[in-house]
Amino acid sequence: MEKLMVCVHKRQNALCRLICFPWAGGGTSLLAQWGKRLSNSIEVFCVRYPGRETRLNEPFAKDMTSMVNEVTSVLLKDLQEKPFAFFGHSFGAYLSFAVALHLKEKYGLEPVHLFVSGAHAPNSEAILPFKSISVSDAKDEEVIEYLQTVGGTPSVLLHNEDVRKNLLLTFKEDFRVLQTFSFEKAEMDIPFSCDITCFNGGDDKPYDLQGWQELTSGDTSFYELPGGHFYLLEPSNEIFLTKHITRCIENAGL
């Protein structure tokens, strides 16, 4: 559990757990700290992906299914005993959706709320171009340029050769996992009944979000905040996100 999940602020008497899923190439440092911003009724965990931090010596995940199975096997007991919500940004949004879908289909478990950020709806054709990108053929300079464009990594770190090399490898491996993600919605099937909230940055590329409405019988909400792909790193946006997430969870009738 401690290897895969980071909980900085433990709250054993919390009514609900918020499980956070970071972006491609990301670690747990930011989202794990949300525990101090949310109310005492919510305990925050952040998923630590293989190949980084204390899991640096482990091989990277090979596909989305293996990541879903790992997260599920570690969390299942805890998710069965207490209500939970998911938050995922970018790559983490797709992984959180895949985990939620697996939990619903195999165990009849469902989040009280699904928060997704900086990602297309999983049933959108806008995801398809991701799959045709050849990660192995991508030049390091092109990937670094992309990472500088979307932000999220201080430029001083990108100028450190060891950090840059490690970040490139981690991002590429996570992107390969993303390329194995697939979801085809059955015509009459609505997988979830929980509310879904979508966040994105106003200066980020446009995302196809409308498809999220087809995935739940609950309410779907959309919020555009100032900033680019990593708008959530801005302190004012972080405050909005954590307050809004707290309010949604506390209003979920736990």
Side-chain angles (χ1 to χ4, degrees):
M1 176 75 168
E2 315 240 317
K3 179 181 78 169
L4 183 83
M5 305 299 301
V6 178
C7 181
V8 177
H9 301 275
K10 298 189 185 300
R11 294 180 175 136
Q12 294 185 343
N13 295 323
L15 299 177
C16 181
R17 293 186 174 102
L18 175 68
I19 315 297
C20 297
F21 296 78
W23 45 91
T28 60
S29 57
L30 175 83
L31 298 177
Q33 294 297 329
W34 278 12
K36 65 185 178 186
R37 292 189 176 276
L38 275 73
S39 77
N40 291 332
S41 63
I42 303 167
E43 188 174 36
V44 176
F45 289 83
C46 186
V47 180
R48 178 185 284 129
Y49 305 149
R52 71 214 71 196
E53 298 178 353
T54 57
R55 305 185 68 188
L56 187 61
N57 294 324
E58 295 182 36
F60 291 99
K62 292 303 178 190
D63 53 45
M64 188 69 82
T65 300
S66 64
M67 291 192 78
V68 168
N69 289 339
E70 180 184 51
V71 172
T72 302
S73 65
V74 170
L75 280 179
L76 184 60
K77 181 174 177 292
D78 294 285
L79 299 184
Q80 287 173 325
E81 72 178 22
K82 190 176 288 189
F84 61 94
F86 284 171
F87 172 89
H89 177 70
S90 197
F91 169 82
Y94 301 112
L95 178 57
S96 67
F97 171 80
V99 172
L101 192 64
H102 183 64
L103 287 167
K104 183 66 181 284
E105 291 178 343
K106 190 166 184 180
Y107 302 101
L109 293 171
E110 184 176 10
V112 296
H113 204 116
L114 184 60
F115 302 96
V116 292
S117 169
H120 297 295
N123 49 338
S124 169
E125 291 186 356
I127 293 176
L128 298 179
F130 292 169
K131 296 178 178 292
S132 62
I133 297 173
S134 177
V135 180
S136 55
D137 291 341
K139 295 179 180 177
D140 289 353
E141 296 78 18
E142 294 173 338
V143 179
I144 288 293
E145 186 179 340
Y146 170 76
L147 293 174
Q148 288 175 322
T149 301
V150 298
T153 306
S155 58
V156 65
L157 293 181
L158 291 175
H159 288 110
N160 180 301
E161 188 174 345
D162 289 337
V163 172
R164 185 171 69 244
K165 184 179 177 182
N166 187 52
L167 179 62
L168 277 167
L169 175 63
T170 307
F171 177 81
K172 284 182 175 181
E173 291 296 334
D174 287 350
F175 194 82
R176 282 193 181 93
V177 170
L178 176 60
Q179 290 181 310
T180 69
F181 171 79
S182 63
F183 171 71
E184 291 184 17
K185 179 183 173 296
E187 190 169 337
M188 298 302 292
D189 181 42
I190 300 176
F192 300 117
S193 59
C194 64
D195 290 350
I196 298 177
T197 301
C198 308
F199 303 103
N200 71 289
D203 298 327
D204 196 3
K205 69 177 185 181
Y207 291 98
D208 182 1
L209 302 175
Q210 296 306 311
W212 288 105
Q213 295 176 308
E214 301 171 10
L215 302 177
T216 185
S217 57
D219 293 334
T220 312
S221 307
F222 305 92
Y223 292 90
E224 185 174 278
L225 299 174
H229 188 62
F230 283 98
Y231 72 92
L232 72 170
L233 302 182
E234 293 291 332
S236 58
N237 289 336
E238 190 179 11
I239 290 169
F240 174 85
L241 284 168
T242 50
K243 284 186 174 180
H244 187 79
I245 288 170
T246 297
R247 189 162 59 247
C248 287
I249 291 176
E250 290 184 338
N251 289 341
L254 304 179

